[in-house]
Amino acid sequence: TTMKSLTVYVPELLDFDEPGVNRYLAAKLFEDGHLSMGNAAEMAGVSKRDFMDILGALRVSLLNYSPEEIDDDLLSIQARHR
């Protein structure tokens, strides 16, 4: 994936360095469904496995399902087994 460079200003009190900001932003973009796992890991500059660890540390779900999607899947499974 082609990446572009942006300048981001963060308050010093956050104690983020550039890699930290990239990882946090990648995790949030993944969480919101804007990036795939692979693209988010690439943006964060880490392997998919390391990105999974970052997601865990930030309490972001790997599954990325909304409650509505879980309900829909559950109803589909129940309908198939009747």
Side-chain angles (χ1 to χ4, degrees):
T1 304
T2 304
M3 301 285 176
K4 65 181 178 179
S5 177
L6 299 174
T7 301
V8 178
Y9 297 96
V10 295
E12 287 185 22
L13 64 96
L14 291 179
D15 194 35
F16 271 123
D17 57 6
E18 185 175 343
V21 170
N22 287 343
R23 290 174 181 157
Y24 184 82
L25 182 56
K28 292 303 176 181
L29 289 171
F30 170 78
E31 181 178 41
D32 290 345
H34 296 289
L35 291 177
S36 68
M37 172 77 68
N39 287 338
E42 183 180 351
M43 180 180 173
V46 298
S47 69
K48 286 183 187 179
R49 177 69 198 121
D50 288 344
F51 189 67
M52 288 179 198
D53 291 337
I54 291 167
L55 292 176
L58 294 173
R59 307 187 118 201
V60 173
S61 173
L62 291 172
L63 299 179
N64 214 7
Y65 270 114
S66 71
E68 294 81 20
E69 289 172 315
I70 292 171
D71 288 342
D72 290 345
D73 286 350
L74 182 59
L75 290 173
S76 295
I77 292 167
Q78 288 172 340
R80 279 189 245 154
H81 294 293
R82 288 187 184 160

